[in-house]
Amino acid sequence: MPIKEAVRPGGRSARVQEAVHQAVRELQAVKSRDELTVPQVAEHAGVTPSTIYRRWGNLAELVADVSVERMRPDDDPVDTGTLAGDLQAWGEQYLEEMTSVPGQRALNDVMASADNGRRERCCRYSESLMATLRERALSRGEAAVPSLDRLVDGVVAPMTYRLLYDRESATAANLRRWIARALAVEDVD
Amino acid sequence: MPIKEAVRPGGRSARVQEAVHQAVRELQAVKSRDELTVPQVAEHAGVTPSTIYRRWGNLAELVADVSVERMRPDDDPVDTGTLAGDLQAWGEQYLEEMTSVPGQRALNDVMASADNGRRERCCRYSESLMATLRERALSRGEAAVPSLDRLVDGVVAPMTYRLLYDRESATAANLRRWIARALAVEDVD
DNA sequence: CTCATAAAGCAAATATTTTGCGTTTGTGTT
DNA sequence: AACACAAACGCAAAATATTTGCTTTATGAG
């Protein structure tokens, strides 16, 4: 067995997982979603198909697992000085990412997972980011900072909705409107 | 004719489609999602597997097709006399439907479809319903009727978001809040 | 270092999906 | 009403994918 590279960390499981994830990423760059098969991924990863089946169950779960990684925000959100600015900056980047071809595929793959937990995890990312921006605004002493729920309902939800069902409307201009509305507090609770 | 989404209206096709849909519904009542297989559905419907594969491609698309039907609102929305009331009445019923076990499965099945068109169609239902309620409010002469977009962003999007990612929050109480906010017009556009 | 355990490999057994080809059945035309 | 045409289906063989029982190997604990 030719070893591709020095395998330092973790156990064998970790190595296999990484090899398989890597194989999926590489193959996805070349093949369309429904040309991808488990045996193919297995071979490319230097692994037996049964390993993949036992560990992930099926292709849908595997690609979902890979895509959920891809969606984790890697760097800290930029600080523009105001909550509105921070939201807009983050949102625009997120929209751009998710309307791209690979972004859309990742979104689809995650949504196709039978495992609700996986989907939820993916969206916790956005929520915890909202919480971060909100804390930041509070510590800056901004007035009228909306509740977390209001940010989620007012900004994340419409964004997600449009990304999933109406890509045309997932634009920076609309984002600006969602943010403006969410920040117009005068609460009705 | 590049894309064929419409099945031949009258004849054998329609009969086969109905038989297959029916078979899926009956089997789904008894078996969990991943016990369901194409050959099984085919037999139960008195049809050859290849027919199903050629027509729907795979099991995921088939069950999505069935579920999307299930989600079409069957009866006209009740008229409570006010837009707020109509929204609340419709929303509560919708939430109840979609948080039920079969409702959640239908939702999952639709989301798992690789065919974006199918997902979109499913959400057009809610949008056109919003349009209906809105027209009704206008013809009643209600003041401050929000735009369609605002209704979608303010009510449908949060509802959908919570149904998909945070079932606990998909409650009638929250619905009331979403509606109240959406109706507090003072627009910022 | 040895042992127990969990995960992976291997290969045979199943199950599924795909495909070529002949037949049936609506649809539109004369 | 009869005809031609094409879409959709059935059938069955071939190709793939998935499952499963058993063996082997790595890892971590004692």
Side-chain angles (χ1 to χ4, degrees):
Chain A
M1 280 302 164
I3 295 166
K4 312 180 83 167
E5 51 188 321
V7 280
R8 297 300 315 290
R12 177 168 61 167
S13 293
R15 280 199 307 278
V16 167
Q17 154 141 349
E18 181 44 35
V20 171
H21 275 213
Q22 181 66 22
V24 169
R25 284 189 292 264
E26 289 178 12
L27 288 176
Q28 268 186 335
V30 182
K31 311 177 87 75
S32 93
R33 167 56 208 274
D34 50 346
E35 293 170 336
L36 206 63
T37 70
V38 170
Q40 218 165 34
V41 173
E43 167 160 20
H44 197 278
V47 154
T48 310
S50 63
T51 293
I52 295 182
Y53 286 118
R54 282 206 244 254
R55 192 134 154 204
W56 283 276
N58 56 47
L59 186 61
E61 295 306 314
L62 171 56
V63 297
D65 197 41
V66 173
S67 290
V68 107
E69 297 293 293
R70 193 183 186 293
M71 293 174 113
R72 179 166 40 211
D74 26 25
D75 39 18
D76 291 55
V78 296
D79 189 335
T80 66
T82 67
L83 178 55
D86 288 359
L87 288 169
Q88 184 77 24
W90 166 76
E92 283 187 16
Q93 177 210 308
Y94 189 80
L95 285 178
E96 191 176 326
E97 169 82 6
M98 287 312 167
T99 49
S100 73
V101 173
Q104 282 284 308
R105 184 170 50 196
L107 210 51
N108 279 342
D109 290 345
V110 171
M111 296 312 292
S113 172
D115 176 3
N116 295 31
R118 213 191 300 285
R119 294 211 310 246
E120 284 173 29
R121 179 148 37 99
C122 152
C123 264
R124 296 277 168 267
Y125 292 157
S126 319
E127 292 187 18
S128 84
L129 203 137
M130 286 298 112
T132 302
L133 296 187
R134 189 165 169 277
E135 292 305 326
R136 192 189 277 174
L138 285 175
S139 73
R140 259 192 305 243
E142 288 194 41
V145 173
S147 71
L148 180 56
D149 264 8
R150 179 128 197 191
L151 283 178
V152 170
D153 290 331
V155 180
V156 177
M159 222 165 79
T160 305
Y161 184 86
R162 301 298 184 168
L163 279 173
L164 287 174
Y165 301 118
D166 187 13
R167 214 159 29 272
E168 309 301 310
S169 305
T171 65
N174 277 330
L175 173 62
R176 192 172 305 278
R177 187 157 51 215
W178 298 325
I179 294 172
R181 283 178 185 161
L183 295 187
V185 198
E186 58 103 13
D187 241 317
V188 287
D189 300 337
Chain B
M1 309 308 138
I3 299 175
K4 43 144 185 165
E5 183 66 25
V7 63
R8 273 184 168 182
R12 179 168 58 167
S13 292
R15 277 199 308 279
V16 167
Q17 154 142 347
E18 182 43 35
V20 171
H21 275 212
Q22 182 65 22
V24 169
R25 283 189 293 263
E26 288 179 14
L27 289 176
Q28 268 186 335
V30 182
K31 310 177 88 78
S32 95
R33 168 55 209 275
D34 49 346
E35 294 169 335
L36 205 63
T37 69
V38 170
Q40 219 165 32
V41 173
E43 167 158 20
H44 197 280
V47 153
T48 313
S50 62
T51 293
I52 294 183
Y53 286 117
R54 281 204 245 254
R55 192 133 154 209
W56 283 277
N58 57 47
L59 186 63
E61 295 307 313
L62 171 56
V63 296
D65 198 40
V66 173
S67 291
V68 108
E69 297 294 292
R70 192 184 186 295
M71 295 174 110
R72 177 165 42 209
D74 27 24
D75 39 18
D76 292 56
V78 296
D79 189 333
T80 65
T82 67
L83 178 55
D86 289 359
L87 288 168
Q88 185 75 25
W90 165 76
E92 283 187 16
Q93 177 209 310
Y94 188 80
L95 285 178
E96 192 178 324
E97 168 82 7
M98 287 312 167
T99 49
S100 73
V101 173
Q104 282 285 309
R105 185 170 51 194
L107 210 52
N108 279 344
D109 289 346
V110 171
M111 296 313 293
S113 171
D115 176 0
N116 294 32
R118 210 188 302 283
R119 293 209 311 244
E120 285 174 27
R121 180 147 36 99
C122 151
C123 265
R124 294 279 168 265
Y125 292 157
S126 321
E127 293 187 18
S128 83
L129 202 138
M130 287 298 113
T132 301
L133 296 186
R134 190 166 170 275
E135 291 305 325
R136 191 188 276 173
L138 285 175
S139 71
R140 260 192 306 244
E142 288 194 42
V145 174
S147 71
L148 180 57
D149 265 7
R150 179 127 194 195
L151 283 177
V152 170
D153 291 331
V155 179
V156 177
M159 223 165 78
T160 305
Y161 183 86
R162 301 299 183 169
L163 279 174
L164 287 174
Y165 301 118
D166 187 12
R167 212 156 34 268
E168 309 302 309
S169 305
T171 65
N174 277 330
L175 173 61
R176 193 172 305 278
R177 187 158 51 217
W178 297 327
I179 294 172
R181 283 178 185 161
L183 295 186
V185 197
E186 60 104 14
D187 243 319
V188 287
D189 301 335

